[in-house]
Amino acid sequence: MLDVKTHGEMAKAQKTALTIAGFDPTGGAGIQADLKVFHSYNVYGFSAATSITAQNSQGVKHVEGLSNKLVQRQLDVLLEDFTPDALKTGVLFGVPTVYTIYEVISTYKLKNLVIDPVLIASAGVELAAAGTVKAIKEMLMPCAAVITPNIPEAQIFTALSIKNLEDMKEAARRFIDFGVKAVVIKGGHLESTPIDVFYDGKDFVLFTSPRTQGEYHGTGCVFSAAITANLALEKPLTEAIGQAKTKVTNAIEGANNLRHKYTGMKFLAI
Ligand code: PLP
């Protein structure tokens, strides 16, 4: 006989989170980094791949998007069985994937969506096809709890030139106008002290952290995955963001030397 447990019968259920993102063989970014972060919070991680990259410490050498059918099937088969408590998107690669995610969010009534709008890898390789920005803006943003652009990404979405805190605040207002509930713009690309600007249409909250020297792979992924895990744990949004800042700072401080040949890029200790 089929053993189907109802929620009532289960022991205390574990919190779960889903990442829909790209595959990075170094494990420093993308799906594997997200899963490590989820695990570090004792949140069970589900994942669906949108694309596969070939990369090392020199950066992304090759990227291919998976067919939309494959993305769709991964999500449908997973979600007809499991309902994650929160989810995040990373590299989405193209418009059909954005549309598929929009559909599954509505079909399975998914909550606590965190969008990490990854568009370009550090070495300049494009990780999103033409039209993806518009599709994220029109379809995903209205479904999201928060979006976490860095400054180059915020500039692409808002068409503003962002040079200082006031510009960041203006960009944050634009994101709210696009229909997202909240935004946190990461200030690491500014020359002054890095300040992250949170805005939910009512209040601005500024998060500061000391600038650390060096290049680190996967900081954006770790940040958004930590927010997602904390939302799965039912933490309020600004607390989730504060937790995520601490996670990234600790991961930078403990960053690993993996004895790689090519560059001084460091891999986060997650
Ligand atoms: N996701 C994947 C699969 C990547 O390859 C990259 C960058 O190379 C990123 C995300 C973005 O990484 P970061 O967190 O450093 O912005």
Side-chain angles (χ1 to χ4, degrees):
M1 209 177 88
L2 203 62
D3 179 22
V4 180
K5 289 194 175 70
T6 66
H7 284 288
E9 287 168 337
M10 282 186 209
K12 188 170 167 281
Q14 194 179 357
K15 296 295 186 183
T16 61
L18 164 67
T19 172
I20 307 169
F23 180 91
D24 165 9
T26 73
I31 285 173
Q32 297 96 317
D34 294 339
L35 291 178
K36 287 189 262 183
V37 173
F38 294 165
H39 180 76
S40 76
Y41 287 102
N42 192 27
V43 169
Y44 187 94
F46 300 117
S47 53
T50 60
S51 50
I52 309 270
T53 69
Q55 61 182 295
N56 56 27
S57 70
Q58 288 180 311
V60 177
K61 306 290 182 187
H62 189 81
V63 57
E64 282 184 34
L66 302 184
S67 75
N68 190 46
K69 185 173 179 199
L70 193 47
V71 176
Q72 222 168 26
R73 289 294 286 155
Q74 290 175 78
L75 289 168
D76 268 328
V77 172
L78 182 77
L79 296 170
E80 68 188 27
D81 197 5
F82 303 95
T83 305
D85 296 298
L87 75 160
K88 68 157 273 188
T89 59
V91 170
L92 293 179
F93 203 72
V95 178
T97 302
V98 177
Y99 192 71
T100 293
I101 295 169
Y102 168 76
E103 278 189 330
V104 297
I105 286 171
S106 331
T107 306
Y108 300 98
K109 302 186 173 41
L110 302 181
K111 299 212 169 52
N112 293 325
L113 168 66
V114 177
I115 305 174
D116 180 7
V118 185
L119 301 177
I120 304 167
S122 311
V125 175
E126 296 217 6
L127 296 172
T132 310
V133 168
K134 186 167 180 275
I136 292 176
K137 223 186 229 183
E138 290 174 2
M139 288 191 271
L140 285 193
M141 280 199 206
C143 311
V146 65
I147 185 166
T148 65
N150 59 26
I151 288 188
E153 289 156 357
Q155 292 190 139
I156 292 171
F157 276 100
T158 63
L160 292 171
S161 161
I162 304 175
K163 298 201 175 54
N164 53 42
L165 186 59
E166 278 317 303
D167 296 342
M168 288 175 82
K169 285 186 170 176
E170 183 51 31
R173 288 187 194 97
R174 299 277 174 102
F175 274 97
I176 299 300
D177 292 345
F178 297 149
V180 71
K181 287 189 197 66
V183 57
V184 52
I185 303 181
K186 299 169 287 188
H189 288 79
L190 287 186
E191 277 170 18
S192 51
T193 310
I195 297 178
D196 294 350
V197 174
F198 169 87
Y199 185 56
D200 60 2
K202 292 196 280 295
D203 300 310
F204 281 101
V205 182
L206 306 185
F207 294 88
T208 48
S209 52
R211 180 176 294 284
T212 32
Q213 294 305 316
E215 263 188 284
Y216 299 88
H217 182 48
T219 50
C221 300
V222 171
F223 182 65
S224 54
I227 297 174
T228 310
N230 278 283
L231 291 182
L233 294 170
E234 299 178 32
K235 298 270 167 58
L237 185 53
T238 47
E239 194 182 322
I241 292 168
Q243 270 282 337
K245 281 289 281 181
T246 308
K247 176 65 118 191
V248 173
T249 306
N250 292 343
I252 286 175
E253 277 169 9
N256 296 314
N257 169 2
L258 301 182
R259 302 186 304 283
H260 43 295
K261 292 193 199 110
Y262 293 133
T263 69
M265 172 80 79
K266 294 193 183 112
F267 289 80
L268 298 175
I270 310 162

